[in-house]
Each structure stands twice: as structure tokens, then as C-alpha cells.
Amino acid sequence: MIRLAVTLVLLVIAVPAYAHSWYSERRDPIYNQTSCCGGTDCAPLPPHAIQITPEGLRVTLTVEEARVINPVRRYGFDRLITFDRIQVSEDGQAHICLMAHDLEGDPREGYYCVFLPPNG
């Protein structure tokens, strides 16, 4: 019984580490400055938060939803993300890596990276 409990704990710890490792290995295809993830600022997007348009992907998050992705985020998020900034997701889900703040004049517009499934 103890062996099973230890195995389950290790699995729970290993899954988030893997998820963040693939984020960390990626960079924004346009603003190739930093890795996509600092360890706590990326997560899957809720399906209701995304809408594919002819111009790109519209992502709309309340402040509460944004804080689930990046716990220190102070604002909601509502952006049209152009297709040239979207990368292929490694797990078949849509993901975003959010900045804590929307920095005035920063062309990255409050996010580091966005990922969609290959057919998303």
C-alpha cells in the first residue's frame, strides 16, 4: 500500500515537471528573446476562452482564469493572436504562457507563447 502511495505521488510530481519542460524548451517564433515558460506562467486554455478567426486566435480570459495560468497576473486577457505567433502543442490541447503584467510598449502584448493542437 505504501509503495502504491509513493508511486502516485511521484507521478503527480512528474507530470507538471514534464509539461513545463516542453514549454521551457520553446521560444516565441517572432520575439525569440526568452523561453516560453518560467515555471509557473503556462497552462492549458479553457475551451470557451479561444475562438479561431480569419486573422488569428482570439483569447479571452477573466482575471480569475488568467491567474490560474499565471498566479501573479493582475489583469484579465483579451487579445487577437496572429497565426505567426502560434506554435504546435505537444499534448493536443491549447496552451498559453502569460506575463504577469502587460508592459506598455512591449510588442509581445502580455504573453510569451501560444500553442494549438496540429488541427486546432
Side-chain angles (χ1 to χ4, degrees):
M1 189 61 137
I2 292 174
R3 183 176 284 172
L4 177 62
V6 170
T7 302
L8 289 173
V9 168
L10 290 174
L11 283 173
V12 168
I13 292 169
V15 170
Y18 171 74
H20 281 282
S21 69
W22 73 261
Y23 295 133
S24 299
E25 295 168 359
R26 306 289 273 293
R27 297 188 183 286
D28 182 291
I30 302 298
Y31 305 104
N32 192 17
Q33 299 171 355
T34 58
S35 71
C36 290
C37 182
T40 59
D41 46 13
C42 300
L45 279 162
H48 72 271
I50 59 176
Q51 176 186 9
I52 297 177
T53 74
E55 296 81 29
L57 183 71
R58 168 69 62 189
V59 177
T60 306
L61 299 164
T62 66
V63 68
E64 293 81 12
E65 291 170 328
R67 284 184 178 156
V68 169
I69 295 166
N70 184 336
V72 296
R73 177 96 182 155
R74 293 195 265 172
Y75 312 101
F77 186 83
D78 186 10
R79 300 279 187 287
L80 178 66
I81 298 164
T82 56
F83 290 116
D84 60 350
R85 291 205 50 204
I86 298 172
Q87 301 179 61
V88 175
S89 169
E90 293 193 16
D91 70 355
Q93 295 183 52
H95 296 258
I96 193 166
C97 302
L98 288 177
M99 295 177 176
H101 315 284
D102 294 344
L103 303 173
E104 187 154 340
D106 188 333
R108 294 174 295 173
E109 301 184 67
Y111 64 98
Y112 296 108
C113 296
V114 175
F115 305 92
L116 283 181
N119 297 324

